[in-house]
Amino acid sequence: MEDVTLNKVYGAVFGFTVGDALGVPVEFMMRKQLKMNPVIGMREFGTHNQPKGTWSDDSALMFCLMEAICQSDASINLDYEWLADAFLRWLLDGFWTPLGEAFDIGRTTAQSIERFSHKKFAACECGGKEEQDNGNGSVMRVLPLAFLLKNVSATKAFEVIHNVSSITHRHPRAKIACGIYVFTAIGLLNQKSPKGALLWAAGIVQDYYCSKPDYKNELSHFRRILDGEIGSLTEYEIWSSGYVVDSLEASLWSLLTTNTYRTCVLRAVNLGEDTDSIAAMAGGLAGLYYPHETIPQIWLSHIKRRQDITDLCNRFYEKLKGMK
């Protein structure tokens, strides 16, 4: 993992977390409302009555995944039971929460963690597998896998991505969304442009899933992404709900239609509805692509547990350096 720099880790992780915190106060607000009073910086209170700089379950569960990678041996093999237990500790004990208590918990995620708590199923068998379980609760947390899986085969990468998703989201559509997002991030790590990274990821995704009967028919739901059309759409053709396809499209569209970190996350959050997840997903990719120094310092200054997050980034980077 010698080609991964600490600055890229900082950019991705803080880019994600800042986007999340920008979105928390206005989550569920409609686009029309935000047109009249757009987000231009960190706000406080609002939807979840949280102080400025508070991040949500999106960042918390991403941090749990980073911890699981740090806990692993010197390979890409993750302990999925440990990861699921970290999710349980987050939900019950406030592990990796900004202020000691979990909030803004998705239905499918909560139900899956509850199933795991009964210890009747393996961690990767706990996720919701019905069509109505295709929220964005797994794709929103998988960004660290781009660092872990950058130099492995596509087959192994998809295996890990699917397992991490399956702890909470087992439907093929949710897993495909995770695959598209992670490989787009890997493309950015490989110094491709946002458009180039997405086209590269689309080729890998289609080559892999077209040979898998359980997944092939699901690819039609991602056609606007896989055909390279998403960046040419207008704002009025983009939906910003918590449905996994909408969230993935909105985050990629925000990246593809802007040219700075700041404009990317503000475009994402002002789409409305699932503002924290979409701005986080967009911000993580933008943080990978643009220099981490371009994340506004005034926004970073408000981030809760900033030093703890920095320490986690440092531990994560050191673990990556030792990976085989």
Side-chain angles (χ1 to χ4, degrees):
M1 302 286 177
E2 295 176 357
D3 51 348
V4 170
T5 67
L6 182 57
N7 283 345
K8 285 295 183 184
V9 174
Y10 286 152
V13 172
F14 279 106
F16 186 100
T17 309
V18 165
D20 186 2
L22 285 168
V24 164
V26 295
E27 189 179 16
F28 309 129
M29 287 184 68
M30 302 306 293
R31 195 174 303 177
K32 184 185 297 185
Q33 295 172 276
L34 290 170
K35 289 287 186 187
M36 294 184 287
N37 183 22
V39 175
I40 59 173
M42 287 287 176
R43 294 183 179 182
E44 55 189 348
F45 307 125
T47 303
H48 298 286
N49 197 33
Q50 297 292 326
K52 190 179 294 185
T54 303
W55 28 272
S56 74
D57 58 328
D58 303 62
S59 297
L61 295 178
M62 179 183 72
F63 299 147
C64 288
L65 177 55
M66 291 174 69
E67 289 282 11
I69 293 170
C70 290
Q71 295 290 330
S72 67
D73 59 20
S75 72
I76 62 168
N77 297 311
L78 290 179
D79 184 338
Y80 301 108
E81 302 298 316
W82 193 98
L83 178 57
D85 189 65
F87 293 169
L88 181 62
R89 290 163 58 201
W90 160 75
L91 184 62
L92 298 182
D93 303 327
F95 179 62
W96 267 116
T97 57
L99 297 168
E101 185 176 357
F103 70 95
D104 189 25
I105 303 159
R107 174 189 59 82
T108 300
T109 296
Q111 291 175 346
S112 301
I113 294 173
E114 182 181 2
R115 277 192 288 273
F116 175 76
S117 72
H118 298 312
K119 305 299 181 182
K120 294 181 179 179
F121 302 96
C124 296
E125 297 175 355
C126 289
K129 61 180 181 178
E130 305 303 324
E131 186 159 16
Q132 64 265 27
D133 293 319
N134 279 309
N136 59 21
S138 62
V139 72
M140 72 186 191
R141 67 172 185 258
V142 294
L143 181 59
L145 294 181
F147 294 96
L148 180 69
L149 304 174
K150 182 178 183 294
N151 297 316
V152 306
S153 69
T155 299
K156 181 61 177 178
F158 281 112
E159 176 190 330
V160 174
I161 291 165
H162 290 178
N163 285 340
V164 169
S165 177
S166 293
I167 294 172
T168 56
H169 293 70
R170 277 197 294 161
H171 193 279
R173 198 174 308 164
K175 294 190 233 180
I176 292 172
C178 291
I180 293 171
Y181 186 79
V182 169
F183 272 97
T184 300
I186 292 174
L188 295 171
L189 273 174
N190 288 333
Q191 300 185 327
K192 297 180 185 296
S193 68
K195 183 177 181 180
L198 180 56
L199 291 174
W200 176 78
I204 292 173
V205 164
Q206 291 181 100
D207 285 347
Y208 180 80
Y209 287 121
C210 279
S211 65
K212 304 289 187 292
D214 290 344
Y215 294 89
K216 184 177 180 180
N217 292 338
E218 288 290 326
L219 291 176
S220 61
H221 296 281
F222 300 93
R223 192 49 52 202
R224 300 201 303 181
I225 294 172
L226 298 176
D227 287 351
E229 177 187 357
I230 193 71
S232 63
L233 300 178
T234 68
E235 178 184 312
Y236 301 100
E237 296 173 283
I238 298 296
W239 302 93
S240 51
S241 77
Y243 169 48
V244 68
V245 177
D246 288 351
S247 297
L248 183 61
E249 286 191 342
S251 59
L252 292 170
W253 178 85
S254 298
L255 178 70
L256 291 166
T257 58
T258 53
N259 57 16
T260 66
Y261 174 85
R262 182 180 185 277
T263 55
C264 174
V265 291
L266 291 181
R267 176 157 291 184
V269 77
N270 284 305
L271 290 173
E273 297 188 66
D274 203 350
T275 51
D276 56 339
S277 298
I278 292 169
M281 291 167 62
L285 297 177
L288 272 178
Y289 181 63
Y290 299 108
H292 79 283
E293 297 89 353
T294 63
I295 301 173
Q297 285 297 314
I298 187 63
W299 295 353
L300 283 167
S301 70
H302 294 298
I303 292 298
K304 302 302 181 190
R305 298 186 64 180
R306 182 179 177 184
Q307 187 57 54
D308 289 337
I309 299 168
T310 299
D311 292 344
L312 177 59
C313 287
N314 293 339
R315 289 190 286 115
F316 180 72
Y317 174 68
E318 289 301 317
K319 173 60 70 169
L320 291 173
K321 286 201 302 182
M323 289 285 185
K324 298 176 182 179

